């Protein structure tokens, strides 16, 4: 078998090796049932046990209170850019959005498509600075129906240190796609949290949603069932056939995080991993510079540029030769991006830091 590379891709992304090994075995035979996970009915007892396990682990690990439902919604995070306004933005109402990059921009577009051109109030806007930082001052509208932010901006490598605080009583909705379960997180302070699975959780094609039951109960009445959060809550994500394999892998990833010490341990590890790479960038005497402002730096996506295109290309080539892949930055930012989610081993970050130092020495 070929050796596995360090995969710095932004998503789909690296998964923990023990999880992949268990998934390999479960493809053939799930838990001694004689049937593989891809072949089990979503209504059978074997899959019911998987679903129960995924929900119970998520509740424990992320401290999800009973007030919030755990939903496994087939489809990608982008789908929630329109499901949120469809469910929570009544005619004439306003949503406050903090604009920190491409993904919040899409949330804004979809809210306008649903509610009209005046439906969105931009409560903070990082666009003028090239999305290099998380806005430090926010101005909320008089009575927003809800507020929306993106906890980690995958493309720019910026991350909120703590969630924004909209006025009392305004539900706070979070796109946590690229840092969910990377650190302790106050679910109870949010109305709804959604995270596409393909970064820290498992395969693409599924989004985990944590939603306050009282908010979703009557929201979106009259919509097609699959567009209402309440359908997933009332039918335990089994209104239609869910992405059973993704839910299986997520349950295994959750078990792995628990075994590794939980979210506090993930946070400590992620902090140390990111520091290795940021330090190599900061000590490069300007050969490489970080894209994000220092106090907005992400622990999940490290974005940086070389002083010259040759430095960037040289580092990318050296990285490929050293089995480090997926480092080219997003087309809108350029440069390099190292996505170092929970499952990226520290050794991968050490190797990249060394490659940066080598590139500086060669320059
Ligand atoms: N939100 C964030 C923060 C993301 O990083 C991404 C994808 N990279 C999305 C939303 C969109 O996810 P999807 O492609 O699964 O719709």
């Amino acid at each position: 078998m070929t050796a596995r590379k360090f995969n710095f891709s932004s998503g789909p992304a690296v998964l923990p090796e023990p999880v992949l090994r268990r998934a390999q075995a479960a493809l053939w035979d799930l838990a001694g049932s004689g049937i593989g996970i891809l072949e089990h009915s979503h209504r059978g007892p074997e899959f019911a046990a998987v679903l129960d396990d995924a929900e119970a682990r998520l509740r424990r690990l992320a401290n999800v209170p009973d007030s919030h439902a755990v939903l496994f919604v087939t489809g990608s995070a982008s789908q929630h850019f329109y499901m949120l306004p469809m469910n929570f933005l009544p005619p004439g109402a306003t949503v406050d959005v903090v604009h920190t990059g491409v993904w919040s921009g899409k949330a804004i577009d979809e809210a306008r498509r649903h509610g009209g051109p005046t439906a969105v109030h931009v409560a903070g806007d990082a666009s003028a600075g090239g999305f290099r930082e998380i806005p430090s001052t926010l101005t909320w509208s008089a009575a927003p129906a809800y507020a929306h932010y993106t906890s980690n901006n995958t493309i720019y490598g910026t991350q909120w240190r703590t969630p924004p605080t909209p006025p009392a009583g305004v539900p706070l909705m979070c796109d946590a796609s690229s840092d969910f379960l990377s650190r302790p997180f106050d679910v109870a302070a949010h109305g709804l949290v959604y995270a596409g699975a393909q970064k820290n959780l498992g395969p693409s094609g599924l989004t985990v949603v944590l939603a306050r039951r009282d908010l979703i109960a009557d929201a979106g009445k009259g919509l097609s069932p699959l567009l209402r959060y309440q359908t997933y809550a009332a039918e335990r994500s089994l209104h239609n056939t869910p992405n059973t394999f993704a839910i299986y892998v997520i349950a295994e990833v959750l078990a792995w995080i628990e075994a590794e010490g939980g979210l506090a341990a993930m946070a400590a590890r992620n902090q140390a991993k990111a520091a290795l790479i940021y330090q190599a960038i900061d000590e490069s005497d300007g050969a490489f510079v970080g894209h994000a402002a220092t106090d907005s730096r992400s622990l999940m996506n490290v974005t940086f540029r070389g002083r010259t295109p040759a430095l960037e290309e040289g580092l990318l080539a050296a990285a490929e030769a050293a089995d480090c892949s997926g480092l080219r930055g997003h087309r809108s930012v350029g440069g390099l991006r190292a996505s170092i989610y929970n499952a990226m081993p520290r050794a991968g970050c050490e190797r990249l830091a060394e490659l940066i130092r080598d590139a500086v020495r060669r320059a």
Side-chain angles (χ1 to χ4, degrees), residues 273-299:
K273 279 158 45 185
L276 289 168
I277 304 172
Y278 283 122
Q279 195 184 352
I281 295 167
D282 291 342
E283 291 176 359
S284 74
D285 265 337
F288 292 98
V289 285
H291 176 79
T294 310
D295 58 0
S296 295
R297 282 177 166 177
S298 167
L299 301 185

Side-chain angles (χ1 to χ4, degrees), residues 10-12 75-81 102-104 106 150-155 175-179 194-199 204-207 301 330 337 341:
S10 62
S76 80
S78 301
Q79 188 168 310
H80 300 271
F81 300 152
V102 163
W103 302 115
S104 66
K106 293 191 190 246
T150 315
S151 53
N152 183 74
N153 298 282
T154 326
I155 292 174
D175 174 359
S177 293
S178 52
D179 68 352
Y194 61 103
Q198 70 270 22
K199 293 149 200 315
S204 59
L206 190 98
T207 302
N301 311 97
H330 189 273
R337 169 175 55 175
Y341 302 117

Side-chain angles (χ1 to χ4, degrees), residues 7 37 57 67-69 112 115-116 120 122 154 184 186 205 220 223 243 268 275 296 321 323 328 340 352:
N7 176 12
I37 176 62
R57 285 187 194 279
S67 53
H68 287 59
R112 287 195 178 126
V120 175
V122 177
T154 326
D186 187 0
L223 290 174
N243 184 339
S296 295
D323 284 339
R328 193 175 285 283
I340 50 173
L352 177 57

Side-chain angles (χ1 to χ4, degrees), residues 57-129:
R57 285 187 194 279
L58 195 53
R59 285 194 178 280
R60 245 189 345 256
L61 195 59
N63 216 355
V64 183
D66 284 345
S67 53
H68 287 59
V70 172
L71 317 176
F72 296 97
V73 180
T74 302
S76 80
S78 301
Q79 188 168 310
H80 300 271
F81 300 152
Y82 55 83
M83 275 179 73
L84 280 168
M86 288 173 111
N87 280 266
F88 304 118
L89 191 62
T94 303
V95 51
D96 284 12
V97 180
V98 188
H99 186 27
T100 51
V102 163
W103 302 115
S104 66
K106 293 191 190 246
I108 289 171
D109 291 347
E110 291 305 316
R112 287 195 178 126
R113 192 192 310 279
H114 174 81
T118 60
V120 175
H121 167 77
V122 177
D125 189 348
S127 60

